[in-house]
Structure formats: structure tokens, C-alpha cells
Amino acid sequence: MNFDELKEQWNKQSEDNFEVNPNLNHYKSVGNILVKLRKNIKFEFISWVCAMLFLIVLPNIELYKITGYVKVIYYFLLLQLGFGSMFYYKRFYYFYKSTKQFELLTSRENLLKLYYDLKFSIETYKMSSYLLIPQGLVMFFIFFSLGHAGEWLEKIYHFSDTWHNNPSFLVFIGLGLVVSLVFLIICLELMSYYYYGKFLKMIKSNIDALDEEL
């Protein structure tokens, strides 16, 4: 075999090795999605830490007048809120670490694993958040009572007497709870979708496109 034949085989082999994978764009798209997801996870966690620090300090702000046994209830609820939140942030932490692995973008099977890991993390996020809604509602009640939480709790405890003497108060509290509940649910659904849910759909669409091209 002469030099020209060797050169021809080398060129042919080089062309074969550098052939572009037709599915590369889909893996690249998922890679870009993961970058955005990591930013969202980091941003939300930092926001959560700042919010928790504010809530710890809040009872000492004169405006809210949170004192006595109401202050004890407040911190007990805040403790539950903190531990409950850490449950789903633990899931996102593992997901965050796993997205830095390059191997995730090397096969369809790895993309499927990534998809279901994210889906499970989002479901954990929503489930934990819904379980924490009662604590959130009571904390809202304490915030906006502006020092009247103890008095209002007494009226609620003696429901029948309050209903006969001051029914408008119970109607006001009931409407406030309903509005607060709707507000919390809307915020939860919007946050879960715009921070994570829409990216889950993007990953799924790339997986579906890969299936069509196979």
C-alpha cells in the first residue's frame, strides 16, 4: 500500500469520526434548559433564605405587635415551615447536583431519567407546599391582625357566642381565609410552573422529538 492510499484512508476515517450527530441539537437544547433550571433553583433557595430571615425578625417589628403566647405560636409555625421547606429543597439539591453530570446528555435513557427526577422533584415541591398551607394561613392571620391575634382567637374559639353577638367578624375572617387560600394556591401553581414546570415540558418535547427521529 503506497502513501496515496494511506492518505485516502486517513481522510475517509477522519470524515467518519467527525460526522455530526443529527440529534445533537436536542441534547444541546436540554443542556441549555438545565442551565436555566440550576439558576432558578439557586435563586429560589436564596430568596427562601432571605424570606426566612425576615420572618424570624418580623415579630420584633413594632407594626405587627406579635407578643405573648401568639409569638410562641408564630415561631412554632415558622419552625414547621422551615423544616417542611427543607424536605423539598433536599430533593432539588440532589437534582441540582445531578444536572452537572455530562453523562445526562449522552443518551435518550439518561434524558428520561433526568425528566422523571425533575418531575418527582416538582411533585414533592407542590405536595410539601400544599401541606404547609395551613401554617401559612395562620401566619397570615397573625400578620394582619396587627396585635389583635389573641383577641380574635378567643372570639373564634367561642364560635357560637361570637356568631350571635358579632357575626360580621366571623364572615370577615372566613372571607379573609378564603382569599388568602386562593392567593397561596395561585402563587404556588404559578411559581411551580414558571420556575420548573415549563422546563419539564421542554425536556419532554425534546425527548419526543428524539423518539420521532429514531
Side-chain angles (χ1 to χ4, degrees), residues 135-153:
Q135 289 89 333
L137 288 175
V138 177
M139 291 182 75
F140 268 23
F141 174 81
I142 294 174
F143 294 160
F144 296 109
S145 68
L146 298 179
H148 298 285
E151 175 189 344
W152 290 1
L153 285 172

Side-chain angles (χ1 to χ4, degrees), residues 30-31 33-39 41 92-105 113-115 117-118 121 203:
V30 174
I33 292 169
L34 294 182
V35 171
K36 294 176 182 177
L37 273 170
R38 284 197 294 268
K39 287 182 179 179
I41 292 171
F92 274 118
Y93 172 72
Y94 287 126
F95 176 79
Y96 182 91
K97 285 185 65 178
S98 69
T99 56
K100 292 185 176 181
Q101 300 172 11
F102 177 76
E103 292 80 5
L104 288 174
L105 304 177
K113 181 181 182 302
L114 175 75
Y115 171 79
D117 282 347
L118 178 58
S121 297
I203 293 173

Side-chain angles (χ1 to χ4, degrees), residues 32-162:
N32 292 333
I33 292 169
L34 294 182
V35 171
K36 294 176 182 177
L37 273 170
R38 284 197 294 268
K39 287 182 179 179
N40 285 353
I41 292 171
K42 186 183 294 185
F43 175 78
E44 190 186 354
F45 180 72
I46 293 172
S47 300
W48 174 81
V49 170
C50 293
M52 291 299 292
L53 291 174
F54 172 74
L55 291 175
I56 291 172
V57 174
L58 189 140
N60 300 311
I61 298 176
E62 183 67 25
L63 173 66
Y64 294 100
K65 300 176 182 178
I66 301 174
T67 58
Y69 72 89
V70 175
K71 193 172 186 178
V72 176
I73 294 173
Y74 173 86
Y75 278 118
F76 177 71
L77 294 173
L78 185 60
L79 189 65
Q80 289 185 331
L81 204 63
F83 280 118
S85 301
M86 290 304 297
F87 177 70
Y88 62 75
Y89 276 122
K90 183 180 178 181
R91 285 295 316 165
F92 274 118
Y93 172 72
Y94 287 126
F95 176 79
Y96 182 91
K97 285 185 65 178
S98 69
T99 56
K100 292 185 176 181
Q101 300 172 11
F102 177 76
E103 292 80 5
L104 288 174
L105 304 177
T106 59
S107 70
R108 177 186 174 278
E109 289 71 22
N110 286 339
L111 290 186
L112 277 174
K113 181 181 182 302
L114 175 75
Y115 171 79
Y116 285 110
D117 282 347
L118 178 58
K119 186 175 182 180
F120 181 66
S121 297
I122 294 172
E123 288 173 354
T124 304
Y125 174 82
K126 294 178 71 172
M127 179 191 69
S128 301
S129 298
Y130 276 115
L131 290 175
L132 292 172
I133 281 180
Q135 289 89 333
L137 288 175
V138 177
M139 291 182 75
F140 268 23
F141 174 81
I142 294 174
F143 294 160
F144 296 109
S145 68
L146 298 179
H148 298 285
E151 175 189 344
W152 290 1
L153 285 172
E154 285 289 330
K155 289 183 178 181
I156 294 171
Y157 181 75
H158 299 94
F159 182 87
S160 57
D161 292 339
T162 305

Side-chain angles (χ1 to χ4, degrees), residues 168-209:
S168 59
F169 168 79
L170 294 176
V171 172
F172 171 77
I173 293 296
L175 288 174
L177 288 174
V178 171
V179 171
S180 299
L181 179 62
V182 172
F183 173 76
L184 286 174
I185 291 174
I186 291 174
C187 286
L188 172 60
E189 291 296 330
L190 288 176
M191 284 183 64
S192 63
Y193 177 75
Y194 284 106
Y195 273 81
Y196 310 111
K198 68 176 182 179
F199 297 110
L200 182 70
K201 289 185 176 180
M202 290 178 186
I203 293 173
K204 186 62 167 62
S205 66
N206 278 280
I207 294 173
D208 291 340

